[in-house]
Structure formats: structure tokens, C-alpha cells
Amino acid sequence: MDTIDLRSDTVTWPTPAMREAMANAPVGDDVYGEDPTINQLEAEAAAMLGKEAGLFVTSGTMGNLTAVLTHCGRGHEMILGNQAHIFRSEVGSAAAYGGVQPFTIPVQPDGTLDLGDIRAAIRSENEHFPRTRLICLENTQGSTGGMPLTAEYTAQVGDIAREHGLKLHIDGARIFNAAAALHVPARDLAAPADSLSFCLSKGLCAPVGSVLVGSHEFIAEARRTRKSLGGGLRQAGILAAAGLIALREMTQRLGEDHANACALAEGLATIPYIHIDPTRVCTNMVLFTFADELPISIEELVTRLKRDYNIVIGGYSNGRTQVRLVTHYWITRDHVNQVIDAMRTLLP
Ligand SMILES: *Cc1c(COP(=O)(O)O)cnc(C)c1O
């Protein structure tokens, strides 16, 4: 990459091996189920997550929306975190296209939803009430800086869902980061879920795509939902070829990104004006705030980082001074040291 871009792991370019695999991928018409590369990707993804079947979709948003629309009907309710990506950052799509009502509960500082809050949100049978159909978890939880949810916690939520005849969907955009951080196979984290969607195009570097996994029956329905959203694909094995490398190889190296995030957090902690707790960094995200008495404005800092050091940062929002830096394949330890040095120079 031509910059040190820490805004997100979505900025990752495909690797040279991916570009080569894409050029040579066997393809077919996937709406006929005839694209061998997509079929391979869906099968391998399902196996890695311990599910029966998979469905290649264009984005994490489409994976989540396809899942919600497949699990729920109009007027049904889904319980999810008030910081959940599905609630905050997917354009209200479940409401817009499915008439699905969100019932939000607070996301705890460790990324979990309180089990008591989940239980309290489940509707009883009453003519006035909507029907609860779905619980959604997010692993890793982006808003808390990429906190991984453990298999034990997820199993407890799965138990609640089953007790009440509900479905459990995991927005596992970064499920392999969670698996790497917790040193468990991703399938352990997915086991209690009826469906899980993960992104190939974030830290795994593929240019496009997510995979939704679940039972044969669920995925057969989800294929229909995806088609209705305009997501029926043709010779998209070109994209799935990169996805296969993402799945086989890039999932195995995420620990490097996590180690770089830790090193970045520890370095930033030594700089005045930066408030950060490095012990909260579990995966590839570093959250920190600037002190109010910053010697230059944040805008000026961002401009000078780009102009003088080729470093791109973003993520501060709501007039607050919180910043999120994300490490990924294209960020090396040397880049991390350059970022720490640049910050130290600009914030003496
Ligand atoms: C990025 C992300 C998504 C959506 O993925 P897109 O491919 O950007 O649509 C969903 N959930 C979480 C937690 C994400 O970080």
C-alpha cells in the first residue's frame, strides 16, 4: 500500500497471491449453482465455522440483512446491542426491507450484552406485543474496540435463545480476529448460533465479499432472500478465489495484527496528551482519546500526519476526541514505530 492507513481494516488491498488466483479462477453461473470456486469457498467457510452450508454475499451488510430477513417476518422483533453495527451502521435496512423492529439493550464495556437485559427484552405472549424472533450478537464488538466474546458467553446466550424458541445470529464480521485473540477455533465461537456472517474483505484482505453460514435449510431460504435483494451472482468465482486465500491463509496470521495493535497502544501510552489503556487492546483496534489541552487541533494533527508522514487516521466522531486506529496486513511493526515517532514529534 502507498500509505500507512490506519482508518480501518477495510482499506486493505488484495495481496499479489489473491490477484493471481482471481485471474486464474474457474468460474460458472452461481445462480445455477455452477461456479466451482464459489461452491468451494462456501463449503470451506461452512466447515471452518462448523455449519452445514454457506452463502457468498457481496458485503457484511448484505450477510446480516439476508440473515435477519430469513429469520424474521414483518413486525417481528430482534434483540441487539445499542452499539451493534446492524443497528447503527446498516442504514436501518432490516426495518426498511423487512419491517423488523430492533429492541436495543446496552453493550457492556467488555462487548457483551447483559444476560438479564436479554431475558428482560424477550416479549411474553400478549395481543399487544410484537413477537421476539431473534437475538443478534457481534463478535468482535466493534464499538468497544474489537472486544472478543468468548465461547462460554455465546453458549449462555444460545441457551436463552433455545429456551424461548428464538434464533441466534452472530454478526461475526471479525470472528477470526476473535478466534485468534481467544486461541480457539472459530467454530467454537459459532457453535451456539443459527447463523453467522463474516467478512472476507476486512483484515482478511479480499477485495469483496462476506459469507453467511448456517444449516442446509437456513441457507436454502437465505439464497432466496439474497436473490430478492439483487444479490444473485454469476461468475463471481473471480471474487471467491481471493476469498479462499483469505480463509485459508489470512485467518492464520491475524495474531500479527493483534501484536502490532498492542505495540502501538503501548507506544502511544508514553506520549503526553494521549489517554489510552493498552490492556483493553485485545484484537486489531486501538481506541484512545486526546487530552483537551492538545497543543494543536485534531484536524491540524490529522493533516500533518498525512502531509509529513504519509499516515492516515480517522475514526474520531461526534465532536468527541476519541480516535480508532486499526492494524492489518499492510501495517508492519516498522510502520507502528513510525506512527509512534510521528505522534511524539507532533505532540511534544
Ligand atoms: C464492517 C462490518 C459490517 C458490515 O460489513 P460491510 O462489508 O462493510 O457491509 C458488519 N458488522 C460489523 C461488526 C462490521 O465491522
Side-chain angles (χ1 to χ4, degrees), residues 59-61 64 85 90 138 171 173-174 199 202:
S59 67
T61 300
N64 286 330
H85 195 281
E90 300 187 6
E138 185 173 312
D171 174 358
R174 296 187 180 83
C199 291
K202 291 191 169 166

Side-chain angles (χ1 to χ4, degrees), residues 185-250:
R187 72 173 66 83
D188 291 6
L189 304 176
D194 298 284
S195 59
L196 180 146
S197 166
F198 70 90
C199 291
L200 296 162
S201 64
K202 291 191 169 166
L204 303 185
C205 283
V208 179
S210 283
V211 184
L212 176 63
V213 297
S215 67
H216 285 305
E217 195 188 352
F218 169 80
I219 290 297
E221 270 312 295
R223 271 188 85 85
R224 292 179 59 85
T225 309
R226 183 189 67 168
K227 191 81 176 76
S228 78
L229 294 172
L233 303 171
R234 303 297 180 184
Q235 289 75 27
I238 297 265
L239 302 173
L244 277 169
I245 292 175
L247 203 58
R248 292 171 184 165
E249 294 173 24
M250 304 308 265

Side-chain angles (χ1 to χ4, degrees), residues 74-106:
R74 300 189 72 81
H76 288 156
E77 210 162 50
M78 61 175 170
I79 298 168
L80 75 178
N82 59 0
Q83 309 287 316
H85 195 281
I86 293 177
F87 179 61
R88 280 207 310 192
S89 303
E90 300 187 6
V91 209
S93 54
Y97 304 117
V100 180
Q101 172 159 288
F103 189 131
T104 61
I105 57 181

Side-chain angles (χ1 to χ4, degrees), residues 21-43:
M22 292 170 78
N24 297 317
V27 296
D29 189 327
D30 182 53
V31 173
Y32 293 154
E34 290 175 0
D35 188 302
T37 312
I38 292 191
N39 291 343
Q40 185 70 26
L41 174 68
E42 291 176 344

